[in-house]
Amino acid sequence: MPDQTIPDRQRIDVDIACVGFGPATAGFLATLARQLVNADGTPAVESAVLPGMPPQVLCYERADDLSFGVSGVVTRARALRATFPDIEHAGIPMAAPVGEEKVLYLLDPVGASRRSPALRMADVCIRALKGILPFESEALILPWTPAFLHKHGGMVLSMGQFMQWAASRIQSTGAVQIWPGTPVAEALVENNKVAGIRLLDQGVDKTGRPSDGFTPGMDIRAALTVVADGPIGPIGQQLDAKFGMPEGHHARDWAVGMKFVVDLPEDTPLKPGTVLHTFGYPEPEIFGFLYVHPERVASLGIFVPSWFDSPVRTAYRYLQQWMLHPYLWRSLKGSKLRSWGAKTLGESGRRGEPHLVGDGYARIGEGSGTTNVLTGSGVDEAWATGAQLAEAVLELLKAKKPFTKQNLEDTYVKRRRASWVDQEAIVAEKSRDGFQKGVVRGMMGMALAGLTKGRFTLNSDPVPPWKRIPSIEDYYRGRVSSEDLANLRDECKAKSVSLHGALMDKVGWPAIPFDGQLLVSHQDALLMGGKVQAPPGCADHVVFLYPELCEKCGTKICIELCSGQAITPGEKGGVPAFDREKCVHCGACVWNCATPLPDNPERTNIAFRAGTGGLHSAEN
Ligand SMILES: Cc1cc2nc3c(=O)[nH]c(=O)nc-3n(C[C@H](O)[C@H](O)[C@H](O)COP(=O)(O)OP(=O)(O)OC[C@H]3O[C@@H](n4cnc5c(N)ncnc54)[C@H](O)[C@@H]3O)c2cc1C
Ligand code: SF4
Ligand code: SF4
């Protein structure tokens, strides 16, 4: 497109611009919106860009509609209740008070998982003693749920339904605007100060070059930019690259969470509010969850963590094998898939905390290190930090003080440090370090940290995922011959599919008995459960930064783990191909990529940029 036809970039000035509408921003806006205007309609505090009016607050969400996020969710709902004391009686669809809670150790009923000798010995002992242990359908039911994990008094929610409800409460104040389908491309950083945000260019080709209908993304200039774009958000990553991480901090612990929302069979014995946590199967490193909503609906899924040393780490097939475990299958048989999704969790917690504030910006939610891996809780913490920032912002607006780093430190960071979020984050900080050296050590470390409130831990320094990924040959040595592996590789390449399914078949995982309603192919899940879409006219948001590094990469884990089968073997030269229309925006490829960047080993060869589309479901 010739230069003279490129339209000018539009600009608007606002007081506060927010990036992303997850629980963190919802907590921020819900707290802020109700205090911007007095009961008589006059501004409680005044806008700097529209004098005489309340502050102009705009929030931009990437997904095509509000509430397309993915989460479990069971929560103690402490922060949610502080904002909405009536939450339990508000009629939120799919909400239920937490009822029975169980933690289950799942044994391997098929003999295909990779268990250490210690775990195999433990399994032998459990089976031998099953007559006197709480043992049912190949699962050991732990006699009690540790206090740090239980959610008694809390709620089972659907993230989508809850966020729709929260959005309507916020928007009904008329004090703030929320715009879905509007990805933020970058933060406007000027002289080390964040001066606002730039929205995504539209009408471009896959590489971002202007094409038909080119419309440059608008600049939104703001005195305060609230960065709440989640664990792998592009704006958070931009700020980390620009300002670095605090001394000793790094984000190396991750997980990808994949979930189904299902209709349980009519005769299900599972009661609303039931909460099950599992570990031990399909691989010892994989945790699972099942939460029951009213009207026979359940949310269930698994977390595949970064310290699971498999070079194929495929979540979808593992989720199916997990559902087929006899303890779960007896409740799930006859269920029907309603919705499906996947998303990354930032599991470094306080150790992954970036600079929380700077001149002109503040960070809240999971991208700011809020998720607590010991208590298995992220929504409440994200919401709490949003509410804390809102109180801080009101204090500064009332005092007519600017949003400088120091002022935000004195108000927002101070509140955060004094709160339960930070106190519990300190307890959790090293609780999962044991997993760096194996599952048994990891479980012991978690119990030790949880029961001693963080005084004792099995400390060890987390290593970045790419450093711990063995080659496929090494991982399957003794189970799959190099000749068989070469043949499987050729077959999968010819079909342009990833290798993981073939490898799992080869090492003894039973084939999935597809039933067309719950057990469906990965591609069918994209259509039936995820309803994935990608509007035209946008650049690819997953980018292989240095193709020459991909050419040399043997593992190609990005293809194996892709949650949407959106990354496939490329046509030539060993560089994978990316299909935007299948991407569920889970972000797992970013931290799983097997190759670090030459100039920054904390980052990998995949860039995850702002993009539209993804999952279209308000139930996840
Ligand atoms: C499968 C799964 C199960 C979970 N289970 C539980 C549970 O049971 N209990 C619990 O408490 N927590 C759970 N969590 C964690 C919880 O979901 C997160 O901690 C929480 O969602 C974090 O909220 P947030 O607002 O910080 O970030 P997010 O929820 O990630 O929201 C960030 C938002 O920013 C948007 N965004 C990103 N980039 C841009 C951009 N460039 N422009 C505009 N918008 C952008 C995203 O689309 C998203 O809507 C689970 C997570 C997963 C994945
Ligand atoms: S993106 Fe990373 S994992 Fe994928 S081929 Fe390239 S270097 Fe390998
Ligand atoms: S390409 Fe998309 S769906 Fe695949 S792992 Fe990356 S973000 Fe997830």
Side-chain angles (χ1 to χ4, degrees):
M1 178 185 258
D3 275 352
Q4 64 269 24
T5 63
I6 293 182
D8 288 340
R9 198 176 288 282
Q10 305 285 308
R11 159 186 167 158
I12 58 168
D13 292 328
V14 304
D15 294 283
I16 300 173
C18 305
V19 186
F21 184 72
T25 313
F28 175 71
L29 295 177
T31 310
L32 187 72
R34 54 173 73 161
Q35 298 183 65
L36 290 178
V37 183
N38 296 318
D40 63 2
T42 56
V45 279
E46 204 178 324
S47 166
V49 295
L50 277 182
M53 299 287 287
Q56 303 299 295
V57 183
L58 268 66
C59 169
Y60 298 97
E61 165 56 42
R62 178 207 73 70
D64 296 345
D65 206 346
L66 302 180
S67 70
F68 282 172
V70 175
S71 188
V73 167
V74 64
T75 173
R76 286 188 194 155
R78 287 174 286 179
L80 306 186
R81 222 176 255 129
T83 308
F84 301 118
D86 63 339
I87 189 167
E88 252 129 355
H89 311 287
I92 303 171
M94 293 173 74
V98 169
E100 189 183 26
E101 273 187 280
K102 282 184 192 166
V103 182
L104 308 165
Y105 170 62
L106 302 181
L107 282 81
D108 175 0
V110 298
S113 73
R114 200 187 52 146
R115 292 173 119 70
S116 66
L119 216 52
R120 282 183 198 283
M121 183 58 75
D123 292 356
V124 169
C125 296
I126 291 168
R127 285 201 171 94
L129 297 172
K130 67 183 181 186
I132 55 169
L133 290 173
F135 186 87
E136 281 172 35
S137 303
E138 292 291 300
L140 178 73
I141 303 158
L142 264 55
W144 101 115
T145 306
F148 56 85
L149 201 58
H150 80 68
K151 303 285 187 301
H152 288 323
M155 296 178 80
V156 168
L157 294 166
S158 144
M159 170 89 139
Q161 297 299 302
F162 167 68
M163 287 297 289
Q164 275 190 351
W165 175 84
S168 67
R169 287 270 187 121
I170 293 165
Q171 284 169 317
S172 69
T173 63
V176 300
Q177 293 180 41
I178 312 173
W179 294 89
T182 317
V184 175
E186 59 180 299
L188 300 171
V189 184
E190 297 167 359
N191 302 322
N192 288 331
K193 174 180 187 295
V194 174
I197 50 178
R198 174 165 293 171
L199 303 181
L200 194 70
D201 291 346
Q202 310 275 336
V204 294
D205 68 12
K206 285 169 72 158
T207 63
R209 277 191 303 261
S211 69
D212 292 346
F214 176 62
T215 314
M218 199 186 281
D219 279 355
I220 316 294
R221 300 194 63 90
L224 176 68
T225 298
V226 177
V227 181
D229 54 354
I232 35 87
I235 309 307
Q237 291 193 36
Q238 180 195 346
L239 297 185
D240 290 345
K242 170 78 189 163
F243 299 118
M245 294 286 272
E247 184 67 29
H249 284 209
H250 46 68
R252 295 178 185 168
D253 283 343
W254 305 90
V256 60
M258 188 173 274
K259 73 176 281 192
F260 272 23
V261 181
V262 305
D263 281 320
L264 294 166
E266 277 180 22
D267 58 351
T268 182
L270 295 176
K271 303 233 167 6
T274 301
V275 171
L276 305 181
H277 304 282
T278 76
F279 64 102
Y281 184 81
E283 298 287 2
E285 293 86 351
I286 295 177
F287 291 85
F289 65 90
L290 189 151
Y291 311 144
V292 185
H293 306 280
E295 296 175 22
R296 289 190 293 108
V297 178
S299 288
L300 49 104
I302 58 168
F303 299 110
V304 181
S306 50
W307 32 263
F308 174 35
D309 285 345
S310 163
V312 285
R313 289 191 201 151
T314 160
Y316 188 77
R317 173 81 180 263
Y318 276 134
L319 174 53
Q320 292 184 315
Q321 302 289 173
W322 176 81
M323 288 192 290
L324 285 164
H325 187 279
Y327 187 94
L328 300 163
W329 191 242
R330 60 186 194 175
S331 304
L332 293 177
K333 192 173 177 202
S335 301
K336 202 167 171 198
L337 174 63
R338 288 166 69 114
S339 183
W340 166 84
K343 182 169 172 288
T344 284
L345 283 109
E347 295 211 321
S348 290
R350 207 169 188 275
R351 203 187 256 145
E353 192 184 276
H355 294 290
L356 292 177
V357 294
D359 287 336
Y361 78 90
R363 297 181 67 170
I364 55 175
E366 194 162 298
S368 74
T370 47
T371 294
N372 189 311
V373 286
L374 183 62
T375 57
S377 179
V379 169
D380 225 12
E381 286 74 4
W383 187 282
T385 56
Q388 288 156 10
L389 179 63
E391 296 293 354
V393 163
L394 285 159
E395 185 184 327
L396 292 175
L397 286 172
K398 282 177 189 160
K400 297 195 189 309
K401 287 186 177 171
F403 296 116
T404 59
K405 182 174 189 332
Q406 189 59 53
N407 287 342
L408 289 162
E409 290 268 5
D410 294 345
T411 52
Y412 164 50
V413 180
K414 193 174 160 199
R415 281 176 167 82
R416 183 158 162 171
R417 296 286 177 244
S419 74
W420 60 269
V421 176
D422 214 53
Q423 282 147 21
E424 292 180 10
I426 292 169
V427 173
E429 188 163 343
K430 294 175 184 161
S431 63
R432 289 238 194 151
D433 285 5
F435 286 107
Q436 300 293 325
K437 300 214 168 118
V439 176
V440 175
R441 213 179 133 90
M443 296 306 292
M444 282 164 50
M446 252 180 103
L448 192 63
L451 298 174
T452 65
K453 299 207 181 316
R455 276 192 287 280
F456 299 102
T457 55
L458 297 182
N459 205 355
S460 72
D461 204 24
V463 288
W466 61 265
K467 243 189 196 172
R468 41 189 323 139
I469 303 169
S471 68
I472 295 179
E473 283 74 7
D474 280 346
Y475 185 79
Y476 284 103
R477 199 170 303 286
R479 300 174 88 190
V480 182
S481 71
S482 43
E483 195 187 351
D484 282 348
L485 190 54
N487 288 340
L488 288 177
R489 268 208 175 100
D490 288 346
E491 281 167 29
C492 292
K493 193 157 188 204
K495 291 187 215 153
S496 198
V497 296
S498 56
L499 194 57
H500 62 80
L503 279 168
M504 285 183 73
D505 294 343
K506 190 80 193 165
V507 298
W509 286 99
I512 304 296
F514 291 126
D515 59 14
Q517 55 174 28
L518 179 65
L519 299 174
V520 298
S521 74
H522 202 161
Q523 286 301 301
D524 285 346
L526 283 171
L527 295 170
M528 288 165 62
K531 305 159 188 93
V532 182
Q533 296 176 15
C538 297
D540 277 350
H541 55 276
V542 169
V543 178
F544 308 102
L545 290 170
Y546 296 95
E548 62 276 20
L549 294 181
C550 294
E551 281 166 20
K552 284 191 233 146
C553 169
T555 322
K556 301 226 180 327
I557 191 169
C558 59
I559 299 171
E560 301 306 325
L561 65 81
C562 176
S563 303
Q565 293 187 329
I567 302 181
T568 49
E571 276 181 13
K572 53 178 187 236
V575 184
F578 171 65
D579 180 352
R580 208 153 53 84
E581 298 196 8
K582 290 184 181 166
C583 178
V584 300
H585 289 254
C586 74
C589 46
V590 180
W591 51 270
N592 271 290
C593 166
T595 310
L597 287 187
D599 58 344
N600 182 356
E602 296 295 334
R603 296 173 80 95
T604 69
N605 193 29
I606 288 190
F608 188 70
R609 297 181 178 154
T612 47
L615 293 167
H616 276 236
S617 167
E619 290 196 330
N620 292 317

